[in-house]
Amino acid sequence: GDRGRAIHEARQSFKRLRALLRLARPDLGGDFDVEFRRFRDSGRALSWWREAAVMAETFDSIVADRNGRLDRQEAALLRAALPTIDAAGANFDMQVGLILQSLDAPEGKCTALAWPKKTRALVRALRTSQSRLRKSWRTARAESSSEALHSWRKRIKDQAAQLRLLRQILPEPMRERRDEEKRIAAELGEDHDLWVLSDYLAKNRAPPGTGFTRVRICAIIYERRRELRGKAL
């Protein structure tokens, strides 16, 4: 019923699976690469449609937040020029078919994986994940670039997915950490969505007569992203 939401939830699920695979990497051995690529490529195959949905939602949110302070006619023309999910329906259906075929491939090893065999395997995996998260955070603080922030967000979501696996036994401080990480990931997610829209507007020709509104929207995005980055860091 809601294709945009379904695409988002599918991509989120692939990311969670990859986060859990990272925990079991030493025990999966060579199978890790096969399984990881399967979920990574499946998520990436949906990325164009996800970005189209994100741009539309983000654009509408900006216009609504300005409450009529943007030229309605120019805003409508800009909105109509954005890509839409339904613009390539046949390609989407074909892509979904390929993804399902990949997920049903017989070489998958996850269903037969008994893990962890020892507690220290889990502890070691969680420590590795924490190390990756700290490293990405330091890079984000030093650079504050879109790429560094996006990488940091991915590591946050990795750890959130891993803690979710253990949610029945988490002590209260770890539950609080997971809630905090979800909040930070949401802020960084909004920052990324705004970047996707501004990047598209900057790289593609605007409809005639909409230049001023496009500049104003890009300025709004810049200020909002600066605010979000500050809160997250």
Side-chain angles (χ1 to χ4, degrees):
D2 186 340
R3 179 172 282 182
R5 182 175 180 81
I7 290 169
H8 177 58
E9 290 181 355
R11 281 172 50 81
Q12 292 286 86
S13 296
F14 288 132
K15 290 174 183 177
R16 292 191 192 106
L17 285 166
R18 287 160 56 195
L20 298 181
L21 274 176
R22 284 193 175 99
L23 287 179
R25 183 170 190 167
D27 294 285
L28 277 168
D31 293 324
F32 172 84
D33 291 333
V34 174
E35 295 294 286
F36 193 85
R37 280 197 300 269
R38 183 200 309 273
F39 298 133
R40 181 199 63 196
D41 294 347
S42 294
R44 285 181 177 175
L46 296 171
S47 61
W48 186 92
W49 287 274
R50 174 58 187 157
E51 289 192 356
V54 159
M55 283 191 280
E57 292 167 7
T58 304
F59 190 95
D60 291 345
S61 176
I62 291 171
V63 172
D65 187 54
R66 292 292 114 176
N67 195 24
R69 284 172 284 174
L70 291 170
D71 185 283
R72 289 185 179 181
Q73 187 173 1
E74 289 189 21
L77 288 171
L78 274 175
R79 175 68 165 78
L82 295 176
T84 64
I85 293 178
D86 297 326
N91 286 337
F92 177 79
D93 292 339
M94 180 181 71
Q95 200 66 261
V96 169
L98 292 173
I99 291 170
L100 293 174
Q101 184 178 345
S102 171
L103 295 177
D104 289 336
E107 66 266 22
K109 302 293 182 182
C110 286
T111 54
L113 179 65
W115 185 90
K117 292 182 175 65
K118 296 182 179 179
T119 302
R120 66 170 176 263
L122 175 59
V123 173
R124 182 176 62 245
L126 290 170
R127 284 179 174 167
T128 299
S129 177
Q130 178 71 2
S131 177
R132 286 164 57 88
L133 174 55
R134 287 180 180 274
K135 183 178 179 181
S136 66
W137 173 73
R138 286 194 293 267
T139 302
R141 281 191 65 109
E143 297 180 10
S144 199
S145 65
S146 297
E147 293 77 11
L149 289 166
H150 188 51
S151 178
W152 178 34
R153 178 192 175 215
K154 288 192 288 187
R155 301 291 77 81
I156 290 174
K157 291 173 80 70
D158 278 353
Q159 188 169 89
Q162 291 158 1
L163 293 181
R164 184 172 183 264
L165 178 69
L166 308 171
R167 61 188 177 276
Q168 299 296 334
I169 59 170
L170 284 181
E172 190 57 36
M174 293 297 285
R175 292 178 188 274
E176 293 173 2
R177 164 179 280 190
R178 183 167 170 251
D179 290 341
E180 182 75 357
E181 288 181 346
K182 287 170 68 176
R183 180 189 63 78
I184 296 172
E187 290 169 350
L188 293 173
E190 184 181 347
D191 173 81
H192 182 70
D193 293 348
L194 288 164
W195 175 80
V196 168
L197 176 60
S198 64
D199 188 61
Y200 182 87
L201 292 175
K203 291 180 178 178
N204 291 271
R205 187 186 298 274
T210 62
F212 180 71
T213 297
R214 180 174 69 165
V215 169
R216 287 197 64 193
I217 289 175
C218 288
I220 292 166
I221 289 174
Y222 176 82
E223 290 300 323
R224 177 59 179 158
R225 290 191 66 207
R226 187 168 66 171
E227 176 188 345
L228 287 165
R229 289 196 299 271
K231 288 173 65 177
L233 288 167

